[in-house]
PDB file of all heavy atoms in Angstrom:
ATOM      1  N   MET A 900     246.511 -16.596 119.322  1.00  0.00           N
ATOM      2  CA  MET A 900     247.309 -16.596 120.479  1.00  0.00           C
ATOM      3  C   MET A 900     248.822 -16.717 120.193  1.00  0.00           C
ATOM      4  O   MET A 900     249.609 -17.167 121.050  1.00  0.00           O
ATOM      5  CB  MET A 900     246.872 -17.702 121.540  1.00  0.00           C
ATOM      6  CG  MET A 900     246.766 -19.099 120.973  1.00  0.00           C
ATOM      7  SD  MET A 900     245.717 -20.168 121.945  1.00  0.00           S
ATOM      8  CE  MET A 900     246.609 -20.093 123.514  1.00  0.00           C
ATOM      9  N   ARG A 901     249.150 -16.216 119.028  1.00  0.00           N
ATOM     10  CA  ARG A 901     250.493 -16.235 118.564  1.00  0.00           C
ATOM     11  C   ARG A 901     251.274 -15.003 119.066  1.00  0.00           C
ATOM     12  O   ARG A 901     250.971 -13.903 118.725  1.00  0.00           O
ATOM     13  CB  ARG A 901     250.597 -16.297 117.049  1.00  0.00           C
ATOM     14  CG  ARG A 901     251.948 -16.461 116.444  1.00  0.00           C
ATOM     15  CD  ARG A 901     251.975 -16.197 114.983  1.00  0.00           C
ATOM     16  NE  ARG A 901     251.132 -17.081 114.152  1.00  0.00           N
ATOM     17  CZ  ARG A 901     251.467 -18.289 113.745  1.00  0.00           C
ATOM     18  NH1 ARG A 901     252.659 -18.760 113.984  1.00  0.00           N
ATOM     19  NH2 ARG A 901     250.590 -19.036 113.091  1.00  0.00           N
ATOM     20  N   GLY A 902     252.306 -15.268 119.920  1.00  0.00           N
ATOM     21  CA  GLY A 902     253.061 -14.156 120.456  1.00  0.00           C
ATOM     22  C   GLY A 902     254.172 -13.739 119.407  1.00  0.00           C
ATOM     23  O   GLY A 902     254.039 -14.148 118.213  1.00  0.00           O
ATOM     24  N   HIS A 903     255.050 -12.977 119.867  1.00  0.00           N
ATOM     25  CA  HIS A 903     256.120 -12.359 118.932  1.00  0.00           C
ATOM     26  C   HIS A 903     257.546 -12.625 119.534  1.00  0.00           C
ATOM     27  O   HIS A 903     258.490 -12.035 119.031  1.00  0.00           O
ATOM     28  CB  HIS A 903     255.888 -10.969 118.567  1.00  0.00           C
ATOM     29  CG  HIS A 903     256.078 -10.025 119.789  1.00  0.00           C
ATOM     30  ND1 HIS A 903     256.340  -8.682 119.708  1.00  0.00           N
ATOM     31  CD2 HIS A 903     256.069 -10.271 121.139  1.00  0.00           C
ATOM     32  CE1 HIS A 903     256.463  -8.192 120.962  1.00  0.00           C
ATOM     33  NE2 HIS A 903     256.316  -9.102 121.763  1.00  0.00           N
ATOM     34  N   ASP A 904     257.594 -13.498 120.583  1.00  0.00           N
ATOM     35  CA  ASP A 904     258.875 -13.506 121.262  1.00  0.00           C
ATOM     36  C   ASP A 904     259.144 -14.948 121.645  1.00  0.00           C
ATOM     37  O   ASP A 904     259.297 -15.301 122.862  1.00  0.00           O
ATOM     38  CB  ASP A 904     258.773 -12.640 122.460  1.00  0.00           C
ATOM     39  CG  ASP A 904     260.056 -12.584 123.273  1.00  0.00           C
ATOM     40  OD1 ASP A 904     261.098 -12.773 122.648  1.00  0.00           O
ATOM     41  OD2 ASP A 904     259.971 -12.310 124.481  1.00  0.00           O
ATOM     42  N   TYR A 905     259.224 -15.915 120.729  1.00  0.00           N
ATOM     43  CA  TYR A 905     259.554 -17.324 121.029  1.00  0.00           C
ATOM     44  C   TYR A 905     261.098 -17.378 121.219  1.00  0.00           C
ATOM     45  O   TYR A 905     261.812 -16.678 120.493  1.00  0.00           O
ATOM     46  CB  TYR A 905     259.071 -18.217 119.926  1.00  0.00           C
ATOM     47  CG  TYR A 905     257.618 -18.147 119.723  1.00  0.00           C
ATOM     48  CD1 TYR A 905     257.020 -17.400 118.771  1.00  0.00           C
ATOM     49  CD2 TYR A 905     256.755 -18.858 120.566  1.00  0.00           C
ATOM     50  CE1 TYR A 905     255.627 -17.380 118.586  1.00  0.00           C
ATOM     51  CE2 TYR A 905     255.322 -18.809 120.480  1.00  0.00           C
ATOM     52  CZ  TYR A 905     254.763 -18.036 119.462  1.00  0.00           C
ATOM     53  OH  TYR A 905     253.360 -17.959 119.293  1.00  0.00           O
ATOM     54  N   ALA A 906     261.466 -18.156 122.180  1.00  0.00           N
ATOM     55  CA  ALA A 906     262.913 -18.261 122.507  1.00  0.00           C
ATOM     56  C   ALA A 906     263.668 -18.896 121.213  1.00  0.00           C
ATOM     57  O   ALA A 906     263.142 -19.611 120.417  1.00  0.00           O
ATOM     58  CB  ALA A 906     263.099 -19.240 123.726  1.00  0.00           C
ATOM     59  N   SER A 907     264.920 -18.528 121.124  1.00  0.00           N
ATOM     60  CA  SER A 907     265.772 -19.010 120.031  1.00  0.00           C
ATOM     61  C   SER A 907     265.202 -18.883 118.651  1.00  0.00           C
ATOM     62  O   SER A 907     265.472 -19.659 117.784  1.00  0.00           O
ATOM     63  CB  SER A 907     266.142 -20.495 120.291  1.00  0.00           C
ATOM     64  OG  SER A 907     266.651 -20.719 121.537  1.00  0.00           O
ATOM     65  N   ALA A 908     264.359 -17.746 118.525  1.00  0.00           N
ATOM     66  CA  ALA A 908     263.771 -17.436 117.236  1.00  0.00           C
ATOM     67  C   ALA A 908     262.967 -18.530 116.610  1.00  0.00           C
ATOM     68  O   ALA A 908     262.854 -18.689 115.469  1.00  0.00           O
ATOM     69  CB  ALA A 908     264.917 -16.954 116.272  1.00  0.00           C
ATOM     70  N   ARG A 909     262.396 -19.441 117.557  1.00  0.00           N
ATOM     71  CA  ARG A 909     261.519 -20.423 117.056  1.00  0.00           C
ATOM     72  C   ARG A 909     260.274 -19.876 116.481  1.00  0.00           C
ATOM     73  O   ARG A 909     259.757 -18.870 116.990  1.00  0.00           O
ATOM     74  CB  ARG A 909     261.248 -21.442 118.222  1.00  0.00           C
ATOM     75  CG  ARG A 909     262.444 -22.321 118.646  1.00  0.00           C
ATOM     76  CD  ARG A 909     261.999 -23.456 119.579  1.00  0.00           C
ATOM     77  NE  ARG A 909     261.697 -23.063 120.831  1.00  0.00           N
ATOM     78  CZ  ARG A 909     262.550 -23.071 121.894  1.00  0.00           C
ATOM     79  NH1 ARG A 909     263.766 -23.473 121.673  1.00  0.00           N
ATOM     80  NH2 ARG A 909     262.199 -22.649 123.052  1.00  0.00           N
ATOM     81  N   SER A 910     259.536 -20.584 115.607  1.00  0.00           N
ATOM     82  CA  SER A 910     258.267 -20.277 115.169  1.00  0.00           C
ATOM     83  C   SER A 910     257.329 -20.799 116.312  1.00  0.00           C
ATOM     84  O   SER A 910     257.701 -21.519 117.143  1.00  0.00           O
ATOM     85  CB  SER A 910     257.940 -20.907 113.850  1.00  0.00           C
ATOM     86  OG  SER A 910     257.827 -22.300 114.013  1.00  0.00           O
ATOM     87  N   GLN A 911     256.027 -20.446 116.152  1.00  0.00           N
ATOM     88  CA  GLN A 911     254.972 -20.884 117.156  1.00  0.00           C
ATOM     89  C   GLN A 911     255.073 -22.448 117.138  1.00  0.00           C
ATOM     90  O   GLN A 911     255.042 -23.114 118.149  1.00  0.00           O
ATOM     91  CB  GLN A 911     253.654 -20.354 116.784  1.00  0.00           C
ATOM     92  CG  GLN A 911     252.523 -20.757 117.844  1.00  0.00           C
ATOM     93  CD  GLN A 911     251.118 -20.383 117.350  1.00  0.00           C
ATOM     94  OE1 GLN A 911     250.782 -20.585 116.216  1.00  0.00           O
ATOM     95  NE2 GLN A 911     250.417 -19.792 118.244  1.00  0.00           N
TER      96      GLN A 911
END
Side-chain angles (χ1 to χ4, degrees):
Chain A
M900 50 200 302
R901 187 191 299 275
H903 68 159
D904 184 28
Y905 299 98
S907 304
R909 289 191 287 265
S910 69
Q911 184 187 47

